[in-house]
Amino acid sequence: MTITATLINLYHVCHRELWLHANQIQMEQTSEVVADGKFIGDTTYEQRPEKYTQVELPGVKIDFYDAKNGVVHETKRSDKMEQAHVAQVKYYLYVLGQHGIAANYGILEYPKQRHTERVDLTDEDRRAIEVWKMEIEEIVGREVCPPVINKPFCKKCSYYDFCYVGE
Ligand code: SF4
């Protein structure tokens, strides 16, 4: 299977959501995590400054790649899931590197919070990503979906009704 940046993101949010998404069980709305990407794509695509190019490789679509400096920019609405966003950007850097494309570092931008975060990819991260990929394959291949995680952000997840049916 192709490990996409979305799967890497979901792996860091909820293994149940990862399983449901990867097994194409779709709910009407899009989850906040995935919507994050859509929101940015819908609103900023037209305004992409010239210095950025869009790069599409297996599993990843990077909207803002600064080829001159080898920097990946990723913009998000909310920094609540920052750990998952950092993982996603590390994965971008990893996939770019795998394809021989220079990627020095990434910058996560949270315009609403006026907050930016530099993301580097270390050798340790590369080893960690190999583990994430194996675990994602294992989780997605399970016959039964992982249990609910009972986190406050479940209320904003598109699978909420599905997960907490009858509550
Ligand atoms: S509602 Fe919670 S447990 Fe269910 S998929 Fe979403 S984040 Fe995971």
Side-chain angles (χ1 to χ4, degrees):
M1 71 186 268
T2 303
I3 305 291
T4 65
T6 300
L7 296 183
I8 294 282
N9 184 320
L10 292 177
Y11 169 75
H12 288 85
V13 174
C14 170
H15 290 181
R16 183 176 173 91
E17 188 172 1
L18 166 68
W19 188 97
L20 289 165
H21 177 85
N23 286 290
Q24 296 180 343
I25 295 168
Q26 283 162 3
M27 298 291 127
E28 263 175 43
Q29 301 158 320
T30 315
S31 86
E32 193 179 12
V33 174
V34 178
D36 232 6
K38 275 205 170 156
F39 170 84
I40 298 307
D42 290 349
T43 56
T44 57
Y45 181 83
E46 300 295 329
Q47 305 145 21
R48 183 192 303 131
E50 268 180 29
K51 70 170 177 164
Y52 299 126
T53 45
Q54 189 182 60
V55 181
E56 211 164 339
L57 292 166
V60 307
K61 188 172 148 207
I62 302 162
D63 283 331
F64 300 98
Y65 175 60
D66 174 356
K68 194 167 159 219
N69 300 303
V71 180
V72 170
H73 290 255
E74 176 72 10
T75 309
K76 299 288 191 191
R77 270 189 304 191
S78 155
D79 56 7
K80 276 192 193 135
M81 299 290 181
E82 190 163 341
Q83 184 214 0
H85 301 155
V86 168
Q88 183 182 338
V89 174
K90 283 185 190 283
Y91 191 61
Y92 286 162
L93 297 171
Y94 169 89
V95 173
L96 284 167
Q98 274 196 324
H99 289 84
I101 299 171
N104 297 321
Y105 61 95
I107 298 184
L108 258 174
E109 297 172 4
Y110 298 100
K112 277 192 182 171
Q113 290 80 17
R114 298 177 193 274
H115 168 56
T116 61
E117 175 90 23
R118 177 179 160 136
V119 181
D120 289 290
L121 183 73
T122 64
D123 286 342
E124 199 180 322
D125 292 326
R126 286 189 188 89
R127 287 192 289 274
I129 288 171
E130 293 297 330
V131 175
W132 299 346
K133 286 167 64 182
M134 282 191 297
E135 290 188 352
I136 287 170
E137 295 231 21
E138 184 275 314
I139 292 165
V140 169
R142 286 183 201 168
E143 294 247 327
V144 178
C145 85
V148 297
I149 58 172
N150 281 307
K151 296 275 185 187
F153 58 76
C154 284
K155 287 208 166 72
K156 292 196 168 174
C157 177
S158 61
Y159 294 110
Y160 182 74
D161 289 343
F162 177 84
C163 289
Y164 298 95
V165 60
E167 285 191 16

